[in-house]
Amino acid sequence: MTEKKITCGGIRPLIYCISREEGDPYLIHNYDGAVEFPPVTRCFILPFHGQGKYRSYEVTSKEPFQVHISADEMEVTVSADIGDAISQLAWKEFDGPPHCDVMGNSMELDFENGDIFRDTYYHFYWETLLPSVVERTRAKSYSNSDGYVVSTLQKGAYAGTYPDVDHEFQIKGRLAMADELDLAVVRRMMELQLKLMAEDPEQAFRDPCAIQPNGAREYHVRRNSLDNSENAEMFLVTGNIEIIESACFYYAAVKDDDWLRGHIEGLENSLSLVESCIDRQGRLWSDVYYEDQVIKDGRECMAQALAARSFEIMAGLEAVLKRDKQEAHYRAVSGLLKDALVQALPTGFWDASKKRFIDWVDRNSVSHDHIHLLANELPALFHYTNPDQEQGVDRLMEACFEEFQRFPSFVSARISDYTESEIGSGGPYDLCAAARYWCWDFAYWREKGRTDILEQQLLAVCRQARMDEYRMGERYDMNYFYYLSEKNWHGAAHYYEYPCVFIWNLIAGYAGVRFALQADLEIEPMLAGDGRVRLENPQYGIEYTVAGNTIFVKNLLAQERSLLVKWKNEERLVKLGENETWSYTCGVN
């Protein structure tokens, strides 16, 4: 028997390892208390709520070994028999959190500020994303444990899992990680949503706002305004729209035709609820989409833009399965929504006199407009606008840049103008910055080619993360107008949203490596200068270098890959063989 004992300087050790159920990976950890660890071939040990400088450890072996924690939960013992069948334990130490994912895959970001971004990425991953997965820990005995992730690690707050809104950004962060565990968690999260829609007692295929630990499902949630004069439904179609994008991204990553074919009916049912909320003029009566403390009783510009995009994405998934009739239907619905969205008031959302899109129109036909960020960015980002509208949005983003970018990203430029009939009963909770807005704001500036803004947004979140010891709050008010206090955020502590969106924006947006339907990978570097990115995770298996007008791309896998490379406004579909490198110089090749 060989064994080694580890302590973490008087701090309770946090252990992560993977168990298998019929080959499917599940995360086991002791974040919420003592658990029994199965025999494993890899585990990680780091201090619970490690702060400042600390050490973490990776233990590996070719054969399974045992992990035990002492009765006082302060000491870890790793042990293995020594013999022909058992390999020696291998130990690796890290400064700070492990510099890899839970499957052992590492990455390199060799460019200006790359070390800062990578450090923040790993802190977020190990200290927020992983402990938020509670399928086989806290939720092990719940009636719906598979796909159960929590939104906050603050004890006593938001103990449920939240298919509407939260699952979208939980999934994006995990898709950007793209390791075997996180892809499995993404799949189970989507399958949980599809199950809950199929079991809707009203047979309307509603995606519930929440599932609580006791099994309660919140299919219908309404909220009053602060003055009790208005009322709106929360997230009526949000999850139903979001899951289409999630399913597309997941399929693009794994290319599992059987999975898509087995769940296409559930995805169609999801959109059937959305279609039932579209009127004859092509307007979606969504009520609240993202901001549950803004009482949007009516039709919302942001929701309509995202719905039009999801119907378009759904058409693409139907095309993959060669379901021509269904593809045509979803393209037609998407076109209907797009056309109605960009019409001038009162039909659509465009205010021709102010040259911008308004936020929402209530059921009394009153329009509400406090210069909403995503109501204006999304139609332009998705290329639904005409030239005059696009120019109007561009000018608006320039004029209101400081208000939106006070911290990435504020919901609107005029948060002080919301009335008590517009603010929810919980107060001005959403009139601030949140990562759900930042995710799309980052995509908007990426589309505009503003690498300088992308870099500054990432750095702003890194600075705040360090101040918050990498346990970020739910909403960032920046002590600007509401919630004036000693701290610049409010809501739940140790919240999932900024960590997940940071990882998504960094990998899929800034590094520009993401999965695509038409290729194995899409590579669109948006670095602010020259540099190198290496992603060793076999789902990526790619390295690229950009220098001046030239890009070098290397396939790290022992198999041929198809890559859609977007570089300097040019696009190439490239096939790379085993360990092959391809280069392209803009304006020369």
Side-chain angles (χ1 to χ4, degrees), residues 227-261:
D227 64 2
N228 290 317
S229 67
E230 301 293 336
N231 183 275
E233 185 163 355
M234 302 296 106
F235 313 139
L236 171 61
V237 297
T238 306
N240 296 70
I241 290 169
E242 292 169 320
I243 196 173
I244 306 304
E245 179 195 60
S246 299
C248 181
F249 287 161
Y250 173 76
Y251 173 79
V254 301
K255 300 294 195 296
D256 185 343
D257 288 353
D258 289 339
W259 183 88
L260 181 59
R261 192 172 292 107

Side-chain angles (χ1 to χ4, degrees), residues 129 147-151 161-177 182 185-193 197 207-210 235 237-250 270 288-291 300 302-307 309-310 313 374 378 381-382 434-443 446 475 495-505 508:
L129 268 71
Y148 203 105
V149 297
V150 294
S151 294
T161 192
Y162 300 88
D164 288 342
V165 183
D166 292 10
H167 275 208
E168 174 187 346
F169 302 102
Q170 289 265 15
I171 284 173
K172 281 178 173 171
R174 298 175 197 287
L175 279 168
M177 292 303 305
D182 281 294
V185 172
V186 165
R187 172 173 50 78
R188 292 192 291 263
M189 289 173 70
M190 291 189 296
E191 290 173 353
L192 174 60
Q193 290 179 261
M197 284 188 265
D207 200 0
C209 297
F235 313 139
V237 297
T238 306
N240 296 70
I241 290 169
E242 292 169 320
I243 196 173
I244 306 304
E245 179 195 60
S246 299
C248 181
F249 287 161
Y250 173 76
S270 180
V288 173
Y289 194 86
Y290 276 157
E291 304 115 295
E300 185 181 350
M302 170 176 62
Q304 179 130 353
L306 290 166
R309 178 172 175 270
S310 278
I313 290 172
L374 299 190
L378 293 179
L381 172 64
F382 301 151
R436 61 194 65 181
Y437 319 134
W438 178 40
C439 183
W440 293 108
D441 185 39
F442 196 90
R446 186 194 72 209
R475 298 284 189 272
Y495 200 65
Y496 84 96
E497 198 168 318
Y498 272 97
C500 284
V501 171
F502 177 88
I503 290 173
W504 171 258
N505 283 347

Side-chain angles (χ1 to χ4, degrees), residues 54-70:
Y54 67 83
R55 304 287 285 172
S56 61
Y57 307 89
E58 178 187 18
V59 189
T60 57
S61 176
K62 293 181 180 178
E63 299 292 339
F65 57 86
Q66 300 289 334
V67 182
H68 300 283
I69 193 162
S70 61

Side-chain angles (χ1 to χ4, degrees), residues 400 409 490:
C400 299
S409 301
H490 60 272

Side-chain angles (χ1 to χ4, degrees), residues 502-577:
F502 177 88
I503 290 173
W504 171 258
N505 283 347
L506 175 62
I507 301 301
Y510 193 66
V513 182
R514 49 191 177 264
F515 303 106
L517 291 181
Q518 65 271 47
D520 292 316
L521 286 177
E522 182 176 302
I523 300 174
E524 185 181 14
M526 296 299 293
L527 309 184
D530 294 347
R532 181 178 66 91
V533 171
R534 181 182 177 92
L535 303 176
E536 296 183 357
N537 176 345
Q539 206 68 36
Y540 290 123
I542 204 75
E543 177 180 311
Y544 74 73
T545 301
V546 292
N549 289 326
T550 301
I551 183 170
F552 302 85
V553 183
K554 182 178 181 180
N555 175 19
L556 302 180
L557 301 187
Q559 63 189 56
E560 185 178 79
R561 321 276 298 289
S562 63
L563 308 174
L564 182 62
V565 182
K566 298 181 178 181
W567 176 240
K568 302 289 186 181
N569 297 316
E570 297 187 30
E571 189 173 302
R572 296 285 189 279
L573 184 61
V574 181
K575 289 192 179 295
L576 288 185

